[in-house]
Amino acid sequence: MATYACGHINPDSDSICSAISLSYLKNQIGEECIPARQGEINPETEFILNKFGMEKPLLKTSYAGENLYIVDYNNPLEAPKDIKEATIKGIVDHHKLGGLTTDEPLECWIRPVGCTNTIIKEIYDSYKVEIPKDIAGIMCCAILSDTVIFKSPTCTKVDTKACKELARIAGIEDVKALGMQLFNAKSDIAGATARELVTRDYKDFEMNGKKVGVGQLEVVDLGLFDNLKDDLFADLKALKEEGGRHTVMLLLTDIMNTGSQLLIVSDDESVIEKAFGVELKNSEVWLPKVLSRKKQIIPF
Ligand code: MN
Ligand code: MN
């Protein structure tokens, strides 16, 4: 029985970097732990790992009979299919609680901050474990990514402080410039299929007994999607039918102009119009100032 640290399905940079940073810490305090991931890494994460010379975590989607630290999620719909047969040793996360249960007591580090790596930085500090340069670098990048370079309403003072300390350890002089490099890498949609784009950063949620899926693509220029809208809508429709979902949405987030174009396929569009106090035009709407799925979409 081995112990793994692993983030959510459709992994983002925070999930991948958390698996690595938490595993290193656990190994330092005498607990063997292997970093893992549930899916392919996105172009932004690839940029981060290359920049700091880190290996991709192990691709592993089944955890029956294993010990598991879950990082950057606790929503059962983002967990491995056989999570009920794994022993959950702990959770490190910054999302709302979503219904996971365990058979045994566990370690929990859950805080309303902008990034899981901010919490992991606190865990390093509390165990007085030194953070190596390369790990500090990827943790710093995860914070820049999750907080949209400190612009997201999810970003707290704790995140900016942790990010600055990590940048100092990693020898990064200009964090905002590094953040822009990340989002330029993230904006790389060349050659990707509509399904790859819709599911690149996609989460399903259980809402009043109905399944609702929300994908998000954060880019530096929304013009990138001008010729892709029809394909994206067709795929959202297909995804909705395949999973018996009530609604599937895609947030096309413009990080430069701070807002999101929301594409919607739903059994009842009026629910969405009511939730956001807007009127849809051709199943789309521009939501100014909306950057965060977690804080500005899901609660409504
Ligand atoms: Mn995440
Ligand atoms: Mn996160």
Side-chain angles (χ1 to χ4, degrees):
M1 188 194 268
T3 301
Y4 298 87
C6 187
H8 52 75
I9 58 165
N10 306 322
D12 56 6
S13 296
D14 192 25
S15 268
I16 298 293
C17 299
S18 295
I20 297 171
S21 58
L22 185 68
S23 294
Y24 179 86
L25 171 72
K26 289 289 175 189
N27 288 324
Q28 292 306 108
I29 59 175
E31 196 183 327
E32 258 179 61
C33 185
I34 302 160
R37 61 186 161 100
Q38 293 193 66
E40 285 316 313
I41 63 171
N42 69 38
E44 179 197 65
T45 312
E46 190 161 5
F47 170 89
I48 295 170
L49 297 182
N50 283 342
K51 179 164 176 76
F52 295 96
M54 306 288 295
E55 296 279 327
K56 280 187 221 173
L58 175 76
L59 180 61
K60 185 172 170 61
T61 53
S62 170
Y63 291 88
E66 311 283 13
N67 291 324
L68 185 60
Y69 284 98
I70 67 175
V71 292
D72 195 37
Y73 78 98
N74 69 76
N75 170 5
L77 295 175
E78 296 180 75
K81 292 260 180 296
D82 57 1
I83 190 153
K84 286 237 175 303
E85 295 156 67
T87 304
I88 301 176
K89 301 277 287 175
I91 304 175
V92 186
D93 190 26
H94 64 132
H95 293 85
K96 73 185 183 87
L97 287 177
L100 208 65
T101 59
T102 62
D103 295 330
E104 288 176 46
L106 73 164
E107 181 183 338
C108 262
W109 303 77
I110 302 177
R111 304 240 202 296
V113 292
C115 181
T116 300
N117 275 282
T118 298
I119 304 168
I120 295 177
K121 164 77 166 65
E122 291 185 317
I123 309 177
Y124 271 87
D125 292 347
S126 75
Y127 281 102
K128 298 193 167 56
V129 170
E130 204 175 308
I131 309 177
K133 235 179 141 170
D134 49 3
I135 292 193
I138 65 168
M139 292 173 76
C140 173
C141 287
I143 298 173
L144 290 168
S145 172
D146 259 21
T147 65
V148 193
I149 323 179
F150 314 129
K151 284 209 270 189
S152 170
T154 61
C155 185
T156 68
K157 280 182 188 149
V158 191
D159 297 293
T160 42
K161 184 166 173 273
C163 190
K164 276 174 195 153
E165 286 177 25
L166 291 163
R168 186 183 45 76
I169 297 166
I172 298 160
E173 279 175 15
D174 188 343
V175 282
K176 288 195 176 165
L178 175 60
M180 276 314 295
Q181 288 183 319
L182 297 185
F183 281 91
N184 279 319
K186 199 176 222 172
S187 301
D188 179 11
I189 59 166
T193 64
R195 177 56 55 96
E196 282 163 357
L197 292 175
V198 168
T199 58
R200 190 178 271 183
D201 178 5
Y202 174 88
K203 294 181 198 288
D204 275 317
F205 299 87
E206 195 73 39
M207 296 184 184
N208 294 324
K210 297 190 165 89
K211 210 198 233 180
V212 175
V214 186
Q216 182 172 27
L217 290 165
E218 296 160 308
V219 296
V220 291
D221 175 15
L222 279 195
L224 289 166
F225 299 112
D226 282 352
N227 298 319
L228 289 170
K229 285 272 177 74
D230 290 348
D231 289 348
L232 291 174
F233 264 116
D235 194 66
L236 291 174
K237 208 169 174 185
L239 196 61
K240 178 182 173 303
E241 300 309 321
E242 282 162 32
R245 295 169 172 92
H246 176 276
T247 298
V248 179
M249 302 191 257
L250 182 62
L251 275 173
L252 303 177
T253 299
D254 184 330
I255 72 151
M256 304 308 288
N257 294 311
T258 315
S260 294
Q261 185 76 12
L262 187 58
L263 316 189
I264 297 135
V265 176
S266 177
D267 286 342
D268 184 1
E269 286 191 350
S270 74
V271 175
I272 288 109
E273 293 189 319
K274 233 183 272 166
F276 298 104
V278 294
E279 225 173 277
L280 303 185
K281 239 183 228 152
N282 300 324
S283 304
E284 286 186 51
V285 67
W286 169 254
L287 300 174
K289 297 203 176 83
V290 168
L291 293 176
S292 169
R293 168 174 52 199
K294 184 197 320 206
K295 218 162 174 167
Q296 294 167 298
I297 299 290
I298 301 308
F300 300 102

